[in-house]
Amino acid sequence: MHNKKTKKPFLVLSDFDGTICTMDMGNEVLNQFTGEEWRRIDDEYCAGRMGSREAYGIMSSLFKGTREEMLGYIHRNERMDHNFPEFRRFCADRGIDIKITSDGLDFYISVILQKYGLDDLEFFANRAVFSDEGRLSISFPLASEECGRCGTCKRQILEGYRSSYEKIFYVGDGHSDVCAAGKADLVFAKNVLYVKCREGDIPCIPYETFRDVQNHLERILNPRNTGMDGLVSDE
Ligand SMILES: [Mg+2]
């Protein structure tokens, strides 16, 4: 008897910083705990002259502060999109899976998801390890072997789910989302990602919050609508 694998219908892959969390917590933590030097490195990254993996490698040696200080800062300063918990319930009701792909660091994502009782959501991110002396080191278990620019290769993660889902929706806002967006069935984009999608002819839907994403999905997944034609519309 053949064990034929059946695909699940929909997966939402979402970026974290600037997307689920409305501010970039990675940038905030770096700004707060590495001093001014990180700005020069961030400028190199934003200009495309340095990949995030290389940038993290330099910045990890600049970190000052204990894990507890960083966690306290994150807890006090995070800004979750307040529409996201509702979006998560909407997806659960419709049988849509959500997974988070981040080129940020795992420790602050865990803290923020826990704060909102969302820590059962699966996420993929760079790994931060604090030594007994309080030094931070960063590892990249999800980097691409062929490319290696980003710490976490979101494109590779998306492609890994191709055989498991009928359609993959991508939500993001930044440089590290561009390659994955080019491989998704439907892209919700803002900020840098929106600009890059327009430049690269990647069809995308502009959004500001997860309320917008939910409204759009409600519309196109409504059986009374013609449905999937709307999946690649560029509004
Ligand atoms: Mg982002």
Side-chain angles (χ1 to χ4, degrees):
M1 200 170 142
H2 292 290
N3 188 11
K4 190 168 175 252
K5 197 176 172 190
T6 50
K7 285 186 176 183
K8 297 172 90 175
F10 304 117
L11 172 65
V12 171
L13 279 184
S14 178
D15 171 50
F16 188 78
D17 287 292
T19 302
I20 292 174
C21 191
T22 59
M23 32 82 96
D24 192 317
M25 182 52 89
N27 276 359
E28 291 295 319
V29 168
L30 291 166
N31 196 20
Q32 191 71 16
F33 293 97
T34 65
E36 277 304 299
E37 176 65 4
W38 89 271
R39 286 212 173 273
R40 188 189 61 76
I41 300 162
D42 191 50
D43 287 347
E44 294 290 298
Y45 170 70
C46 289
R49 290 189 291 268
M50 186 186 284
S52 64
R53 195 172 169 182
E54 185 183 358
Y56 275 127
I58 301 169
M59 286 194 273
S60 61
S61 65
L62 302 172
F63 264 99
K64 294 178 185 70
T66 65
R67 185 170 186 274
E68 284 61 40
E69 284 166 346
M70 289 185 206
L71 294 181
Y73 179 83
I74 292 157
H75 209 267
R76 287 191 304 277
N77 292 285
E78 61 77 25
R79 297 283 179 276
M80 163 87 75
D81 176 352
H82 62 269
N83 299 286
F84 184 71
E86 166 61 24
F87 177 74
R88 202 273 165 98
R89 281 191 292 276
F90 160 80
C91 288
D93 289 347
R94 304 294 178 101
I96 303 170
D97 287 349
I98 305 177
K99 297 177 194 295
I100 299 168
T101 55
S102 172
D103 201 17
L105 303 177
D106 57 355
F107 76 106
Y108 65 79
I109 297 173
S110 293
V111 169
I112 297 171
L113 292 178
Q114 265 168 28
K115 183 172 169 179
Y116 291 90
L118 297 169
D119 45 321
D120 57 325
L121 276 176
E122 188 172 15
F123 73 85
F124 303 93
N126 302 310
R127 190 172 297 157
V129 178
F130 292 86
S131 71
D132 291 342
E133 298 81 45
R135 292 193 71 82
L136 176 70
S137 60
I138 301 169
S139 65
F140 310 99
L142 300 163
S144 156
E145 292 290 322
E146 311 126 52
C147 171
R149 268 186 78 77
C150 294
T152 296
C153 177
K154 301 179 182 189
R155 179 188 53 75
Q156 195 167 263
I157 293 167
L158 186 150
E159 288 182 329
Y161 283 114
R162 261 292 155 223
S163 58
S164 309
Y165 291 91
E166 296 289 344
K167 298 283 178 192
I168 300 177
F169 309 141
Y170 194 86
V171 190
D173 78 321
H175 295 282
S176 68
D177 302 309
V178 177
C179 298
K183 300 289 180 185
D185 298 298
L186 177 68
V187 179
F188 295 91
K190 64 179 169 182
N191 301 338
V192 169
L193 179 61
Y194 183 75
V195 173
K196 296 283 180 189
C197 283
R198 301 299 295 214
E199 286 173 3
D201 285 330
I202 300 169
C204 69
I205 294 159
Y207 79 101
E208 282 303 317
T209 71
F210 273 92
R211 165 52 62 183
D212 303 327
V213 178
Q214 182 174 332
N215 286 345
H216 192 90
L217 290 183
E218 262 172 351
R219 215 164 44 241
I220 63 172
L221 300 179
N222 185 329
R224 282 184 310 227
N225 292 343
T226 46
M228 304 309 273
D229 291 349
L231 282 180
V232 288
S233 73
D234 186 359
E235 291 187 341

